[in-house]
């Protein structure tokens, strides 16, 4: 309908109405199973973004994508960039190719910051679904062979080639327990009747508050989330961006924009000994299609002589070998 889609016409970029309508007709008439059409609306029913994806071999092709050029545009663009990578992973693709010549500036800016590279026909992002030693990937990472980059640079490669996991580069790994209500709020797992929408409801970034003390997490790092409720299992993996320890009220004010925790929630998470909390700011969570059960985790830990006393009641540091064992499950 024109009253829904007409607002995405790129008048400022010189797009003609007849050209735009033809694009819509072409995408609407594509009945193949490899083509999907998406429309995101706000609570009032107004369309905010629309896009089309097509599977072409190992590439997720995006011939049409529009985001309204308003104050929400950059936020939606950032969510969309990661959303396309998720679709690519689910479809076993190795790249995302964007070819709409009339996309908004907010969208193009997000592509560039999110690791897409400009080509003759559009923008392309590599999606690497693999885990292993750094030297297996250095040939495709655009770095000097045989030279290990600093940890921060390897973490950046993991970000722009998500969900690749590059081992042996000094990125720390952690197993972090999370309760049911927080798991649903922050990870979207488990799915509940009042779960937020997969796309706009789940931001790329979140914060998790835990009692200060015990293992001090450091960023950049990786978090394996252990759902400490029945069924107890490792359900996903996130990039750890930042950790800060401080007074509950101060940290709540600083991170209140993430909007999941109340001030009372943060105070309730504080250490009984010190009264302090530790904030974990994390992003780009990968929810596992096959969660790893507690029984299986215990068996892996028992077979891994370096971690015989792993305690899952609090955050634990694990080495690359155990991280890979759990992740591959």
């Amino acid at each position: 309908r024109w009253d829904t889609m007409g607002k995405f016409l790129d008048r400022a970029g010189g797009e003609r109405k007849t050209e735009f309508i033809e694009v819509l007709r072409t995408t609407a008439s594509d009945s193949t199973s490899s083509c999907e059409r998406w429309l995101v609306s706000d609570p009032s029913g107004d369309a905010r973004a629309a896009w089309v994806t097509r599977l072409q071999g190992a590439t997720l092709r995006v011939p049409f994508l529009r985001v309204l050029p308003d104050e929400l545009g950059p936020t939606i663009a950032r969510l969309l960039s990661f959303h396309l990578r998720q679709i690519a992973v689910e479809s076993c693709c190795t790249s995302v190719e964007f070819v709409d010549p009339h996309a908004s500036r907010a969208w193009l800016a997000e592509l560039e910051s999110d690791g897409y590279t400009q080509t003759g026909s559009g923008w392309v992002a590599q999606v690497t679904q693999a885990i292993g030693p750094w030297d297996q990937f250095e040939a495709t990472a655009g770095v000097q062979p045989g030279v290990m980059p600093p940890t921060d640079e390897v973490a950046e490669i993991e970000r722009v080639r998500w969900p690749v996991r590059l081992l042996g580069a000094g990125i720390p790994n952690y197993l972090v327990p999370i309760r049911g209500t927080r798991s649903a709020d922050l990870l979207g797992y488990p799915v509940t009747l009042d779960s937020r929408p997969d796309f706009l409801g789940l931001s790329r970034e979140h914060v998790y508050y835990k009692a200060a003390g015990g293992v001090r997490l450091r960023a950049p790092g990786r978090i394996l989330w252990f759902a400490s409720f029945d069924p107890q299992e490792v359900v996903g993996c996130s990039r750890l961006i930042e950790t800060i320890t401080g007074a509950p009220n101060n940290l709540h004010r600083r991170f209140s924009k993430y909007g999941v925790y109340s001030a009372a929630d943060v105070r309730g998470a504080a250490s009984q000994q010190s009264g302090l909390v530790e904030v974990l700011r994390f992003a780009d969570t990968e929810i596992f299609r096959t969660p790893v059960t507690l029984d299986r985790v215990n068996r892996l830990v028992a077979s891994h002589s370096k971690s015989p006393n792993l305690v899952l009641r609090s955050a634990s540091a694990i080495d690359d070998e155990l991280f890979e064992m759990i992740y591959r499950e």
Side-chain angles (χ1 to χ4, degrees):
R1 291 171 49 184
W2 181 255
D3 58 346
T4 299
M5 299 298 297
K7 63 181 69 179
F8 296 117
L9 175 65
D10 181 26
R11 292 185 174 88
E15 185 177 27
R16 294 176 298 175
K17 182 177 178 179
T18 53
E19 175 188 358
F20 180 74
I21 291 176
E22 181 58 30
V23 171
L24 296 181
R25 285 175 176 168
T26 300
T27 57
S29 63
D30 190 337
S31 60
T32 63
S33 59
S34 64
C35 178
E36 292 189 339
R37 292 166 286 272
W38 304 73
L39 179 69
V40 171
S41 302
D42 61 24
S44 66
D46 292 334
R48 312 295 309 187
W51 66 98
V52 176
T53 60
R54 288 195 184 98
L55 296 178
Q56 295 186 351
T59 298
L60 179 72
R61 189 173 175 86
V62 187
F64 178 85
L65 188 149
R66 304 295 169 93
V67 178
L68 289 187
D70 56 18
E71 68 279 0
L72 284 177
T75 299
I76 295 177
R78 189 160 192 270
L79 292 171
L80 256 177
S81 177
F82 184 61
H83 182 64
L84 292 174
R85 289 180 182 271
Q86 290 175 307
I87 296 174
V89 168
E90 293 168 0
S91 304
C92 298
C93 293
T94 58
S95 64
V96 179
E97 183 181 17
F98 174 73
V99 293
D100 187 343
H102 292 284
S104 69
R105 292 181 180 178
W107 172 242
L108 296 180
E110 182 54 38
L111 291 183
E112 187 170 12
S113 68
D114 219 18
Y116 285 69
T117 56
Q118 193 168 13
T119 65
S121 58
W123 294 76
V124 175
Q126 301 301 317
V127 179
T128 306
Q129 303 178 57
I131 180 172
W134 161 256
D135 58 11
Q136 290 184 5
F137 301 94
E138 61 182 6
T140 62
V143 298
Q144 183 178 351
V147 177
M148 176 74 74
T151 300
D152 286 355
E153 291 185 17
V154 177
E156 175 65 7
I157 293 172
E158 285 198 357
R159 183 184 75 86
V160 300
R161 297 288 292 271
W162 184 93
V164 69
R165 314 294 178 183
L166 304 174
L167 306 179
I171 299 177
N173 313 294
Y174 304 97
L175 259 174
V176 178
I178 185 169
R179 296 189 299 273
T181 53
R182 295 307 169 205
S183 178
D185 288 339
L186 300 177
L187 309 181
Y189 180 93
V191 176
T192 61
L193 290 177
D194 58 352
S195 291
R196 295 172 300 171
D198 288 342
F199 174 58
L200 287 181
L202 295 177
S203 170
R204 287 183 66 169
E205 289 189 18
H206 285 296
V207 295
Y208 179 67
Y209 297 89
K210 59 180 286 292
V215 173
R216 178 71 183 273
L217 281 69
R218 58 185 179 87
R222 309 183 190 97
I223 296 175
L224 286 173
W225 293 105
F226 173 69
S228 58
F229 51 89
D230 291 333
Q232 295 180 311
E233 50 195 7
V234 178
V235 300
C237 182
S238 302
R239 294 189 304 108
L240 179 61
I241 301 173
E242 181 181 23
T243 66
I244 301 176
T245 299
N249 290 339
N250 293 340
L251 292 179
H252 179 261
R253 282 194 295 268
R254 178 170 178 176
F255 294 101
S256 60
K257 65 180 181 179
Y258 292 95
V260 173
Y261 285 82
S262 67
D265 290 332
V266 179
R267 290 192 293 269
S271 166
Q272 294 182 358
Q273 287 74 37
S274 66
L276 301 178
V277 295
E278 183 177 9
V279 173
L280 310 182
R281 186 164 70 92
F282 64 94
D284 298 347
T285 298
E286 175 187 8
I287 297 298
F288 298 152
R289 281 171 284 189
T290 306
V292 186
T293 65
L294 175 60
D295 179 67
R296 184 57 181 157
V297 171
N298 285 333
R299 290 174 181 271
L300 293 174
V301 171
S303 69
H304 185 61
S305 59
K306 298 178 183 179
S307 304
N309 299 313
L310 188 66
V311 178
L312 295 178
R313 292 190 299 272
S314 59
S316 302
I318 60 176
D319 62 18
D320 280 351
E321 184 178 350
L322 184 57
F323 173 84
E324 181 177 11
M325 292 167 69
I326 296 174
Y327 187 85
R328 285 189 180 278
E329 286 287 313

